[in-house]
Amino acid sequence: MGITGRRDQEIYDLVGIGFGPSNLSLAIALEEHGAIAPQQPVRSHFFERQSTFGWHRNMLLPSTTMQISFLKDLATFRNPMSRFSFVSYLHAQNRLVQFVNNQDFFPTRQEFHQYLEWAATAFRDRVTYGTEVTSIRPVADGSGTPELLEIEVRTGDGATSTVTARNVVVSTGLVPRLPEGVTADDRVWHSSEFLGRFREQDPADLRSVAVVGAGQSAAEITRFLYDSLPHAEVSAVIPSYGYSVADDTPFANQVFDPGAVDEYYFGTEQGRDAFWRYHRNTNYSVVDADVIRALYQRVYDEQVRGVQRLHFRNLTRVSEVKRVENETQVTLRSVLDERTEELAVDALVFASGYDGLDPAHLLGDFDRHFLRDATGRHRVERDYRLVPSSGLACGVYLQGGTEHTHGLSSALLSNIAVRSGEIADSIVLRRAERELGRSRPLEEASSVA
Ligand code: FDA
């Protein structure tokens, strides 16, 4: 359903901005709330910029696997009986038995994507695709504690429209980051656009390629390019001395447990800092052991064969990127002795990471109404609501962008089922309190009468 038909007709309890896994998980939590309390459904709608559902499509490389167990799906940790669990999906595909025979906790990303698409299909009537939310502002009602928010949305053809809601849940995801001074073009890509860009090329034209970065995406792309371009020289430019392993052993993995959110949230500032420093190697600038081994195996095979087209440039950074006709010239600088070297490539991929979600650009002027901590980061309630500086009856919730308050799982899938349930509960509870607040004077009046 298009948005124009809805405009000004309905006040939603919740508008979700972005429909990736986080808000899909929220839609499921709301659906299941509706099943328990059908007389009080939460009126919700979601807006998604992409024209169809898609989860990091440009990184759905063959054989890449999930970095979480299949049980950390959209619903199971909140409701193991959910019909939207990964197990339920497998059952619907007639593949549950084979999945179990395969004895692997970590499905491929392609399979997990199919699962997410399958779940998203059930919410087609609650999502407007191809629509970008451009701003959120309070509806002035003269009360000083606005109850409603106006959300501006823009469709692909540039038309704008507004919808009204009591709460928004911002879940717009990570923002691709390129190093300063680097501009993307048809031969210089960020990993987030990798497959789309790669498919635009004639593979025969890619004789020399380089991948910059030390994390999971960098390693996966290096392996993919090496395997897909048997004629090409492939360089991996790594600021450290080779890839480091992602710690996913059981004790370390506890940092992603739902219970860890409380410990992090209610800890001291120093405690949170220490937590972060000790455990960032569970997720940042690290690579799964099987990908590291697969790449090392290729290096070793080359040594056995006496050839070399996979080049690891360790302790090296990119200091300049220049376009010279069809070629891209990269200046590499050694971290050890600052020596530089020129490399000509047909394609250069920056797996240089992402910035976290920041709602400020959507809030614009409205952002002034929310408190920030001493280092300028948004303050966030335990229920993921931004803390307003004065009474706001409406709510702005975040799914993502809360690593400083809720910990390492904020930008990941690990905790989305539980987090979405907590947000749904908060919205339902606050609605009940508001309705109670409204009805109390009447009840009191009638009891006096
Ligand atoms: P996500 O980014 O998925 O979705 C946000 C959506 O909002 C997008 O669809 C976007 O189009 C939309 N949007 C943005 N701005 C908008 C606007 N203004 N209006 C409307 N729509 C808008 N984590 C993990 O736990 N296990 C894993 O295995 C992986 N694997 C992984 C692989 C790769 C390649 C990446 C880049 C990341 C991961 N992650 C991960 C981490 C990743 O953040 C996580 O998997 C989810 O994408 C988080 O889901 P969200 O819905 O929060 O964001």
Side-chain angles (χ1 to χ4, degrees), residues 251-271:
F251 290 113
N253 221 32
Q254 294 180 125
V255 299
F256 303 116
D257 289 358
V261 174
D262 276 337
E263 289 178 270
Y264 195 90
Y265 187 86
F266 295 110
T268 62
E269 191 67 44
Q270 283 155 315

Side-chain angles (χ1 to χ4, degrees), residues 427-441:
I427 286 170
V428 170
L429 186 72
R430 286 178 56 242
R431 183 178 69 176
E433 283 171 356
R434 194 180 58 244
E435 282 163 7
L436 200 66
R438 283 217 180 100
S439 61
R440 190 167 287 136

Side-chain angles (χ1 to χ4, degrees), residues 192-207:
S192 59
E193 50 177 356
F194 176 70
L195 271 183
R197 290 291 197 180
F198 180 78
R199 288 185 187 126
E200 285 165 13
Q201 314 297 319
D202 178 348
D205 291 343
L206 299 176
R207 288 165 311 242

Side-chain angles (χ1 to χ4, degrees), residues 204-260:
D205 291 343
L206 299 176
R207 288 165 311 242
S208 170
V209 293
V211 183
V212 184
Q216 181 74 16
S217 293
E220 287 175 355
I221 292 172
T222 302
R223 179 177 63 174
F224 173 84
L225 288 172
Y226 184 79
D227 293 350
S228 315
L229 304 172
H231 55 282
E233 301 290 315
V234 179
S235 298
V237 181
I238 304 179
S240 55
Y241 206 82
Y243 303 115
S244 298
V245 73
D247 187 349
D248 67 344
T249 50
F251 290 113
N253 221 32
Q254 294 180 125
V255 299
F256 303 116
D257 289 358

Side-chain angles (χ1 to χ4, degrees), residues 68 72-73 77 256-258 408-409 412-418:
I68 47 161
K72 292 187 173 180
D73 59 23
F77 272 26
F256 303 116
D257 289 358
L408 272 154
S409 59
L412 301 173
L413 300 172
S414 325
N415 196 37
I416 57 172
V418 172

Side-chain angles (χ1 to χ4, degrees), residues 177-185 188-190 318-321 348 350 352:
R177 182 183 55 227
L178 281 169
E180 229 180 284
V182 173
T183 316
D185 62 27
V188 177
W189 316 328
H190 186 270
V318 170
S319 60
E320 198 182 355
V321 180
L348 177 63
F350 280 95
S352 43

Side-chain angles (χ1 to χ4, degrees), residues 18 20-22 48-50 55-56 67 133 171-173 354 411-413:
S22 298
E48 167 55 50
R49 191 166 59 184
Q50 299 183 82
W55 175 64
H56 304 302
Q67 292 175 279
V133 171
S171 184
T172 48
Y354 294 81
L412 301 173
L413 300 172

